[in-house]
Amino acid sequence: MTERVRLRPLIVAAAERLATAGVASPLPDAENLAAHVLGVDRMRLALHPMVEPDEAARFTALVEQRSARIPLQHLTGTAAMGEIELAVGPGVFVPRPETELLFAWALAWLETLPHDHDPVVVDLCAGTGALALAIAHARPDARVHAVELDPDALTWTRRNADDRIADGDTPITLHAADVTDPALLSELSGRVDLVVSNPPYIPDGAVLDPEVADHDPHRALFGGPDGLDVIRAMVPTIARLLRPGGATAIEHDDTNGGGVAALLAGAGFADIVEHPDLAGKPRFVVAARHSKP
């Protein structure tokens, strides 16, 4: 009979292997992979001090893949946003923890709306559908629209949207469309309460970690020489979509908070505020539309 294996030494060795490979968060990644293999929450690993030999082998294989800088989320197949988990994999941008801050701001802002109508929310560059689906989950009264152009990403958006419906969430409306199209969602002009976006915003030529450069689709990453090409094209559309009193929140590269703020100011937005990310770097800008464009 094959003996069971102690888990903690496996995790410690895995963390050392990942650190040597240059992984930024070796111990959390090792623990997350162990939790994935065992089918438990990471915080409950201490309740599983021993693992079966086949589980140890699966864990070791995943660690080797992670040491090759395959994204953790591609190995586990999921990423989180708010209270939901999303399916992720090759062909779609993996949602980042930083975007949770934009999501939290969006929910807090929606709470300030009067209760005279169901809020209308638009997510531009939806990718996995993370923001749109997390908002729909948290605010089942909202009518949420998600816009995505890339066919590969749309496959993931639809999969996640179907999964959320199966879990009882309110369906979102998915649009296969280009966020830089000036006529985008013309039927919603002046009717939208909130527009959120995590668009392609990395300046061309930026040096990226292998997890990003080799696995995230470049179409979801790069936003032209200054990183603002997509945002620049979206701002007039956002202004057109929003009702008076509506607001927007746009994620951006940490070099571009001032640039995004300037674009919004030039389009007539007010109450413009730049927000930092978890590391204190500029990460998203919010603004309000007080009058019709």
Side-chain angles (χ1 to χ4, degrees):
M1 184 175 180
T2 308
E3 292 186 0
R4 302 178 79 198
V5 182
R6 291 177 60 208
L7 178 59
R8 183 47 55 174
L10 279 180
I11 290 175
V12 171
E16 292 173 354
R17 174 76 178 94
L18 296 179
T20 300
V23 172
S25 51
L27 182 58
D29 282 20
E31 290 177 340
N32 277 310
L33 289 174
H36 172 66
V37 168
L38 295 177
V40 300
D41 185 89
R42 177 186 164 198
M43 296 297 104
R44 299 182 68 82
L45 283 174
L47 301 178
H48 301 267
M50 307 294 288
V51 295
E52 300 295 336
D54 64 318
E55 293 171 329
R58 286 172 55 208
F59 172 66
T60 300
L62 286 172
V63 170
E64 286 306 303
Q65 289 180 279
R66 184 70 187 98
S67 69
R69 308 302 292 273
I70 295 174
L72 172 70
Q73 297 86 349
H74 284 198
L75 298 175
T76 63
T78 62
M81 182 61 60
E83 295 182 347
I84 69 172
E85 283 201 339
L86 303 132
V88 298
V92 71
F93 179 81
V94 174
R96 305 298 201 259
E98 289 81 4
T99 306
E100 294 269 6
L101 299 175
L102 188 157
F103 166 66
W105 178 90
L107 286 190
W109 188 85
L110 286 171
E111 287 294 325
T112 70
L113 289 178
H115 298 288
D116 57 355
H117 68 280
D118 291 339
V120 179
V121 180
V122 171
D123 177 11
L124 300 177
C125 304
T128 58
L131 284 170
L133 293 167
I135 290 172
H137 175 78
R139 289 294 302 261
D141 59 324
R143 290 178 287 158
V144 181
H145 298 259
V147 180
E148 177 56 55
L149 177 64
D150 186 84
D152 292 333
L154 275 166
T155 299
W156 291 99
T157 322
R158 291 192 179 99
R159 174 178 171 179
N160 285 315
D162 289 344
D163 287 347
R164 297 315 312 161
I165 292 172
D167 283 348
D169 280 355
T170 304
I172 66 170
T173 302
L174 182 58
H175 304 266
D178 186 347
V179 299
T180 67
D181 178 2
L184 177 72
L185 302 180
S186 56
E187 69 279 8
L188 293 179
S189 293
R191 297 171 49 203
V192 177
D193 294 286
L194 175 66
V195 175
V196 295
S197 183
N198 182 11
Y201 59 62
I202 298 173
D204 294 346
V207 178
L208 305 172
D209 289 337
E211 290 89 341
V212 181
D214 298 340
H215 297 280
D216 275 326
H218 285 197
R219 192 174 195 174
L221 297 175
F222 296 104
D226 62 357
L228 292 175
D229 281 4
V230 177
I231 296 173
R232 190 178 287 113
M234 289 194 315
V235 166
T237 297
I238 294 172
R240 170 176 56 78
L241 289 172
L242 288 175
R243 69 173 74 234
T248 187
I250 304 171
E251 190 166 324
H252 57 76
D253 187 71
D254 58 23
T255 64
N256 271 334
V260 176
L263 289 171
L264 291 165
F269 283 85
D271 301 333
I272 299 169
V273 180
E274 300 179 40
H275 289 262
D277 65 13
L278 298 168
K281 297 178 180 179
R283 185 55 61 197
F284 69 98
V285 175
V286 305
R289 162 62 68 190
H290 289 320
S291 60
K292 292 184 178 180

